[in-house]
Amino acid sequence: MTTSERELRELICEVGRRLYNKGFAAANDGNISIRLNEREILCTPTGVSKGFMKPDDLCVVDYQGKQLRGIKKRTSEILLHLTAYRENNKVMGVVHCHPPHATAFAIAHEPIPKCILPEVEVFLGEVPIAEYETPGTQKFADTIKPYVNDSSIAILANHGTIAFAKDLMTAYFNTEILDAYCRMLILARQLGRINFFTEQQTRELLEFKKRLGIDDPRLKGENCDLCSNNMLRSGYSDFVPSAYAFPEWDKTRLTQETHDKVECATPKAPPELERLVQAITDQVMAAMKAA
């Protein structure tokens, strides 16, 4: 069934009200968008509370961010949305906001631990943290590039979250799931003890996820340690935050015994970079021998 642009405008307004009522977008915070077609994106305006938008307030832009239609000015963070659409043609809806518990992890640069809650493993999987850049800039938008094809939601350091999915409601629900999970983690940490799934229990969840038709990059590696450090960190970006609040997941789980397994999940450096590193290593070794 074809959905009209008017219906999509109403859907964005409904998601905006949910964000506002949940406390995920205070005052005029946050922005929402939907891919209309190969030429146009429907998005929220700047300077308008997401809880009080009307369908006619929304804007239509092209894939360069130029406004095509709308009486109000488009969101100042449209470049972030456009990056998600350009990098992954399956993305049809994007939600960016500041859910308090998830944003607490963003402020602390605390990696999101995994292998703890079944719903998170199945519906979210890996949750990366993108490096901080000034909001509204292309450099800021580029921070999510490494993750758009291997995750469904990302934390933006010192900023908030961005969810990108096959439809807008899925992006919104993933935002809800992440913030609820972060709240549970904070509460459990206050109790003092965090219990993790075993490797086998996690594998069973990923097999269930596979049957649901939901992709997970951990399914692509045959010998990966499923509960090791988040595989969307080292190798995806130079920004690799380490855990402070949940060190038992981030550090002690990554033992020498599992090191080789974790490597299978990390993207390899380009061949030319590997050759350069090897050449430098050879020169250093030769110099040491000559000395």
Side-chain angles (χ1 to χ4, degrees):
M1 183 177 68
T2 303
T3 304
S4 68
E5 183 179 319
R6 185 68 185 184
E7 290 172 312
L8 294 177
R9 287 173 176 264
E10 291 173 352
L11 177 59
I12 286 181
C13 291
E14 171 61 23
V15 169
R17 284 189 289 271
R18 296 189 186 199
L19 292 176
Y20 184 78
N21 292 336
K22 278 277 188 181
F24 290 1
N28 300 332
D29 289 353
N31 27 82
I32 309 163
S33 68
I34 287 179
R35 188 197 297 266
L36 287 179
N37 50 55
E38 295 180 355
R39 303 176 306 281
E40 300 173 319
I41 302 291
L42 179 65
C43 69
T44 50
T46 189
V48 178
S49 170
K50 303 304 159 298
F52 300 94
M53 290 186 303
K54 299 178 179 62
D56 291 340
D57 291 333
L58 305 185
C59 312
V60 174
V61 301
D62 64 17
Y63 280 75
Q64 285 69 51
K66 179 183 177 182
Q67 186 158 336
L68 304 176
R69 285 182 275 144
I71 57 175
K72 298 183 183 297
K73 187 178 179 181
R74 53 88 165 158
T75 172
S76 61
E77 293 183 331
I78 190 61
L79 298 178
L80 183 68
H81 296 245
L82 294 175
T83 295
Y85 292 120
R86 285 197 296 261
E87 293 296 312
N88 188 339
N89 58 18
K90 294 181 181 178
V91 171
M92 299 301 291
V94 176
V95 174
H96 164 51
C97 57
H98 311 146
H101 304 93
T103 303
F105 278 73
I107 293 169
H109 292 190
E110 181 71 26
I112 303 295
K114 57 188 177 183
C115 299
I116 294 175
L117 202 67
E119 290 77 9
V120 171
E121 292 303 311
V122 172
F123 295 110
L124 295 188
E126 305 276 356
V127 181
I129 301 181
E131 186 173 7
Y132 177 81
E133 290 289 350
T134 303
T137 65
Q138 187 58 54
K139 288 184 69 175
F140 170 60
D142 289 343
T143 63
I144 67 169
K145 272 188 177 183
Y147 314 112
V148 176
N149 284 286
D150 287 329
S151 63
S152 58
I153 189 167
I155 287 179
L156 305 169
N158 295 82
H159 192 127
T161 64
I162 180 170
F164 27 82
K166 61 181 180 180
D167 59 73
L168 184 62
M169 286 308 297
T170 299
Y172 167 73
F173 283 136
N174 286 347
T175 304
E176 269 199 2
I177 292 170
L178 178 59
D179 195 67
Y181 181 48
C182 289
R183 183 185 182 195
M184 293 174 199
L185 289 171
I186 293 169
L187 292 172
R189 180 82 289 171
Q190 290 173 358
L191 292 175
R193 180 169 59 188
I194 305 294
N195 293 298
F196 294 85
F197 297 139
T198 65
E199 182 91 0
Q200 180 57 34
Q201 288 169 332
T202 304
R203 193 169 297 280
E204 290 172 2
L205 288 170
L206 291 183
E207 288 301 321
F208 175 64
K209 183 174 186 175
K210 186 177 181 179
R211 291 196 295 273
L212 292 177
I214 305 175
D215 192 26
D216 191 301
R218 288 174 291 175
L219 292 169
K220 300 172 184 176
E222 295 182 1
N223 300 309
C224 299
D225 184 348
L226 300 177
C227 293
S228 68
N229 290 40
N230 194 315
M231 60 173 286
L232 296 183
R233 293 166 65 190
S234 180
Y236 276 74
S237 169
D238 293 334
F239 179 63
V240 186
S242 59
Y244 178 82
F246 298 89
E248 64 270 55
W249 166 73
D250 194 43
K251 295 176 182 176
T252 62
R253 295 184 67 84
L254 186 57
T255 62
Q256 186 60 43
E257 180 182 353
T258 64
H259 183 266
D260 292 338
K261 291 183 179 181
V262 176
E263 281 190 340
C264 75
T266 303
K268 293 184 177 180
E272 59 272 17
L273 179 58
E274 291 183 350
R275 288 194 293 271
L276 176 61
V277 171
Q278 186 60 54
I280 294 173
T281 302
D282 292 343
Q283 291 176 19
V284 171
M285 293 301 294
M288 291 176 64
K289 289 179 180 179

